[in-house]
Amino acid sequence: MPELPEVETVRSGLEPLLVGREISAVSCFRQQLRYPLPDFSGVVGQRIEAVARRSKYLLFQLDGGQTLVWHLGMTGQFHLLSKQSEKGLHEHVSIELSDGHSLRYRDARRFGYAGLIVTDEIEAHPWFASLGPEPLSELFNCDHLFAVCQGRKAPIKTVIMNAASVVGVGNIYAAESLFRAGIHPARAAGKISKKRLALLTDVIRQVLNEAIEAGGSTISDFVNAEGKPGYFSHAFQVYGREGAPCLCCTKKIKRMVQAGRSTFYCPCCQH
DNA sequence: AAATGAACCTGTTTGC
DNA sequence: TGCAAACAGGTTCATT
């Protein structure tokens, strides 16, 4: 489900609802999601100081010096319930807050995962140690992308989707960015001029910012913390539009498979 | 070393 | 209509 704009939408929605609240209990309805769930007993009585994000991870910073790290996988969702209620379909964890609210984690496919990490050790943790820069930060610039692509024969699409190059760019935004930059998704990364990579850098930032503004992209099931969908899917120019006319040249949008994922592109506008 | 494909799961859509 | 195959926003691991 979520790429960077969707995770950011969830983060900004949860932040005002959770910061300052204290965790009074945690119940797990199964032992593991993608990985075994952490032992939550130590978080009871701790207050949530901040809700942050790194890459596609949500970071619930607790006042005891630990951070609850959560990845939503493909179908993970958080919902804040105001009343006690039965476990809903595909709900796996319930975090009770001292004000009576209940934060539920729901995830049909269970590709999501969570960990409890000492806040000062997050950057060194295996989930974070080899991550590239945030695409909306100064660290992600033309020089960086050029260095990453240098000498690589891999297709540019798989390079920008690799979190070691830059984080947060998933299948949708990779396709949309390459279309806007006029770059063919299968082009070898090392064969793209620095000038065109500079354009790609700008366009990735633009696309992600626009998607955040729109509250993310909902294809079938993404919803924010209030249960509402995002609207960026209406702005897709290539993703999911196989056979439909290119909005630029009117030729048919094509679909190909790269590294096991669908790629949508215009064979006329992208080189 | 680097790139592809399978695996982890369930739900929904597509095609015969 | 029914059933099976294909496909889905992510990441890691094993295999070329």
Side-chain angles (χ1 to χ4, degrees):
Chain A
M1 168 191 17
E3 300 182 36
L4 185 147
E6 290 74 36
V7 179
E8 180 57 28
T9 298
V10 171
R11 187 208 67 74
S12 63
L14 287 176
E15 181 175 47
L17 305 175
L18 297 182
V19 169
R21 305 278 161 81
E22 184 184 306
I23 297 172
S24 57
V26 180
S27 318
C28 299
F29 307 130
R30 60 164 53 243
Q31 291 197 319
Q32 72 168 64
L33 298 171
R34 175 169 186 171
Y35 306 123
L37 283 162
D39 174 9
F40 286 107
S41 55
V43 309
V44 173
Q46 291 196 49
R47 254 176 3 118
I48 300 169
E49 283 188 322
V51 182
R53 177 189 62 72
R54 167 74 170 115
S55 185
K56 296 169 188 166
Y57 295 88
L58 285 168
L59 308 174
F60 302 92
Q61 284 170 225
L62 307 176
D63 64 359
Q66 286 179 307
T67 293
L68 178 55
V69 175
W70 214 299
H71 196 294
L72 302 175
M74 293 272 259
T75 50
Q77 302 177 344
F78 277 107
H79 296 277
L80 194 70
L81 307 180
S82 53
K83 290 192 236 169
Q84 295 295 319
S85 63
E86 297 286 293
K87 175 184 107 59
L89 187 63
H90 299 309
E91 283 181 358
H92 309 302
V93 180
S94 180
I95 298 173
E96 314 307 333
L97 304 173
S98 54
D99 66 358
H101 281 89
S102 170
L103 181 67
R104 298 291 174 91
Y105 180 70
R106 180 194 299 170
D107 188 348
R109 291 177 73 178
R110 305 203 300 268
F111 287 172
Y113 48 103
L116 200 52
I117 303 175
V118 173
T119 301
D120 292 339
E121 296 172 1
I122 286 180
E123 288 298 319
H125 188 278
W127 293 344
F128 296 85
S130 56
L131 292 180
E134 287 289 324
L136 303 179
S137 78
E138 307 268 313
L139 293 174
F140 180 61
N141 55 39
C142 169
D143 288 337
H144 171 79
L145 190 59
F146 183 69
V148 163
C149 291
Q150 198 67 328
R152 300 275 294 275
K153 290 177 186 168
I156 185 65
K157 188 207 179 204
T158 62
V159 170
I160 60 173
M161 283 184 68
N162 180 349
S165 311
V166 56
V167 303
V169 181
N171 205 34
I172 292 175
Y173 300 111
E176 293 297 318
S177 300
L178 289 168
F179 173 76
R180 289 197 192 188
I183 298 172
H184 195 288
R187 174 164 290 273
K191 287 180 59 185
I192 302 171
S193 71
K194 192 169 182 182
K195 192 177 170 188
R196 300 183 77 203
L197 291 176
L199 175 61
L200 181 57
T201 309
D202 290 343
V203 146
I204 286 173
R205 238 196 299 272
Q206 270 175 32
V207 169
L208 295 177
N209 274 321
E210 288 174 26
I212 291 169
E213 294 255 318
S217 300
T218 297
I219 292 170
S220 63
D221 63 2
F222 168 74
V223 287
N224 64 17
E226 295 172 324
K228 294 187 177 155
Y231 297 98
F232 191 72
S233 31
H234 300 292
F236 290 169
Q237 297 186 284
V238 287
Y239 187 85
R241 297 191 65 240
E242 181 181 16
C246 173
L247 299 173
C248 184
C249 74
T250 75
K251 294 218 168 60
K252 285 186 174 179
I253 299 299
K254 290 205 157 188
R255 185 180 83 98
M256 67 194 281
V257 175
Q258 294 178 285
R261 317 287 303 272
S262 286
T263 302
F264 299 89
Y265 67 103
C266 174
C268 174
C269 297
Q270 295 176 254
H271 301 282

